[in-house]
Amino acid sequence: MSEDRATLPRAIVVGSGAGGAAAARELQGAYQVTILEAGGAFRPLGLSTAWMERLRSGGLLFSHRVTGLVFPPMRTRSTATQDGRRSPPMVLVNGLGTGGTTTLSTGNALRMDESLKAIGVDLDAELDQLAREVPASTDHQRSWSEPTRKLFEVSRDLGLEPRPTPKMVDYGRCRRCGRCVLGCPYGAKWDSRRFLDQAVALGAELLTGCTVRRVVIRGGRAVGVKVRFGARPAFLPADLVVLSAGGLGTPPILERSGIPCEPRLFVDPVLCVAAPLPRSRQQREIPMPFVIQRPGYIVSPYFDYLSFLFDRRWRHPADGILSLMIKLADSERGSVSDRRPRIRKRLTERDQERLEDGVAVCRRILERFGVDPASIFLGTLNAGHPGGMLPLTAEDADTMRPGRLPPNLYVADATLFPRSLGNPPILTILAIGMKVARAAMGASRAALSSAPTAVLPAAREPSPVTP
């Protein structure tokens, strides 16, 4: 480390997904940043669809729990209802590795900051900057397959007002392989590793395979984090800590640190409604090419790999399934913690009604498309956008820091969202990460200017543990 960098205050950013990568890039230079990632370097899934079908036919893909063995960057877990009973299967999916869940996303670039704007959080500057830095377009519309075009036309004729989805994709490199959610093998899809690489190029340090147990708080301030590198424990000192471990990762860290969250977990449940269609080849189409916005949910064409691999109702050839996704803006009722069951989540009566309405809309589209109504089948209820357990309020709009946190501890992920978006959140989380980092730097400058002789408290260095 250079002499200049050695004199900078130290910041730890936990997580390398959208919020963490954006915050780290903003902070590096004002701080010497260390980024902690529990997983390893991300690699796309190398298995072809044909090999997936062979594994499925051989009975080797018997449960979503084997996903991590085949594809380590994808983690799946089941939920339990609030009363502790197992719920009808709801599988939660998140990324584990550099780039977080952005590597497994469909690359959607939808601005969804209405609930934040309502409490006074203005993300205009951050979203304007992202519009300049992150490529997003609807150019994919020119290469839609015939089934996708027909689905769009049918939806429009039914008065559902479909809109092409802006995508963070370089279509000069895209091969229309349909594998966005398995990791783009051609580097065409933007993910947060771009910001991560920029932060490292500016001098940030990235440590992978590092699991954060808790934030150490002394004298009302965060002084560092307790971590594990495999079986080896360590204490990493810091002057600033930013938690960006995601909606399922950040709340347990806060709980272990003595900072309770709220039982307000949302997950944006997904249910696909599908039908057999020979030669549909939807598995090679751009996922979520257009979106229909409905009260409380969205509908979009989507080939559901999770259902295809593990749901017996989907035992059709990959190129013989046509599917529509329902993504629900669910009620903020649920929790995640270290206690058993670790994740509690249930769908309320309102959630169920909206989901049933979504199924009816999808059936209308598929029937107008021309499929046999009797052939329509559902997929596995799953979810991948958790958040909401430490929501920002109007009182937090200026500081971007919930009041129960120490003054040098911040959160920069979907944990801060006041309510479920029911829509792709990546663009909004990127903006949140930038905004939080800027607020943290502003607070630090204000503290120093009000007490120019003060020195930020230095955390005591432990015996070093080399990762």
Side-chain angles (χ1 to χ4, degrees), residues 34-49:
T34 300
I35 306 153
L36 307 180
E37 169 56 52
F42 177 80
R43 296 287 184 274
L45 179 64
L47 283 177
S48 67
T49 305

Side-chain angles (χ1 to χ4, degrees), residues 91-361:
V91 180
L92 300 188
V93 181
N94 66 278
L96 183 67
T98 52
T101 307
T102 67
T103 58
L104 308 178
S105 76
T106 61
N108 298 318
L110 293 178
R111 176 172 178 163
M112 301 301 302
D113 60 329
E114 293 90 347
S115 62
L116 292 162
K117 192 176 286 292
I119 61 171
V121 176
D122 184 354
L123 297 178
D124 287 351
E126 289 74 22
L127 289 164
D128 287 347
Q129 181 177 339
L130 288 168
R132 296 189 297 271
E133 294 186 325
V134 179
S137 77
T138 59
D139 290 348
H140 55 87
Q141 188 173 9
R142 294 178 294 184
S143 59
W144 284 357
S145 67
E146 184 55 36
T148 295
R149 292 185 185 280
K150 187 174 178 181
L151 284 172
F152 185 86
E153 293 166 1
V154 165
S155 301
R156 184 184 57 200
D157 292 345
L158 288 171
L160 297 173
E161 300 182 355
R163 294 287 183 270
T165 314
K167 295 281 185 179
M168 297 182 284
V169 176
D170 177 356
Y171 289 103
R173 304 174 70 178
C174 179
R175 300 293 185 271
R176 293 185 65 243
C177 66
R179 297 172 67 90
C180 295
V181 297
L182 304 176
C184 177
Y186 304 108
K189 185 187 73 176
W190 192 96
D191 62 57
S192 67
R193 289 178 297 168
R194 307 283 180 93
F195 280 4
L196 190 65
D197 290 345
Q198 291 173 22
V200 171
L202 291 169
E205 181 181 19
L206 171 64
L207 300 180
T208 58
C210 177
T211 302
V212 175
R213 292 298 301 162
R214 65 184 179 93
V215 181
V216 178
I217 300 170
R218 298 178 188 148
R221 293 181 65 86
V223 297
V225 295
K226 288 276 186 79
V227 304
R228 297 189 74 87
F229 294 97
R232 294 174 296 172
F235 170 79
L236 302 180
D239 303 295
L240 171 70
V241 177
V242 179
L243 297 180
S244 305
L248 298 181
T250 291
I253 294 174
L254 289 171
E255 181 184 84
R256 293 191 293 265
S257 307
I259 302 172
C261 290
E262 300 178 23
R264 299 185 74 260
L265 178 69
F266 62 76
V267 295
D268 285 9
V270 166
L271 179 65
C272 283
V273 183
L277 183 69
R279 297 180 297 281
S280 70
R281 294 178 61 81
Q282 192 182 38
Q283 87 281 12
R284 295 190 61 83
E285 176 63 289
I286 294 162
M288 298 185 70
F290 64 83
V291 173
I292 298 167
Q293 297 285 349
R294 300 282 294 175
Y297 65 90
I298 64 172
V299 170
S300 184
Y302 179 75
F303 184 84
D304 185 359
Y305 275 98
L306 188 73
S307 295
F308 171 70
L309 293 174
F310 302 111
D311 195 319
R312 294 186 178 277
R313 292 169 292 187
W314 286 60
R315 296 301 186 186
H316 300 274
D319 65 357
I321 299 173
L322 186 66
S323 172
L324 292 168
M325 164 207 286
I326 305 161
K327 183 183 292 294
L328 186 69
D330 56 317
S331 302
E332 296 82 25
R333 295 187 184 179
S335 64
V336 56
S337 72
D338 278 346
R339 297 184 296 273
R340 297 290 179 182
R342 188 168 184 269
I343 302 172
R344 294 176 180 267
K345 180 64 189 176
R346 68 182 178 90
L347 297 185
T348 65
E349 184 176 346
R350 186 189 70 167
D351 295 335
Q352 294 282 7
E353 289 173 352
R354 286 178 169 175
L355 201 57
E356 290 169 6
D357 186 72
V359 171
V361 169

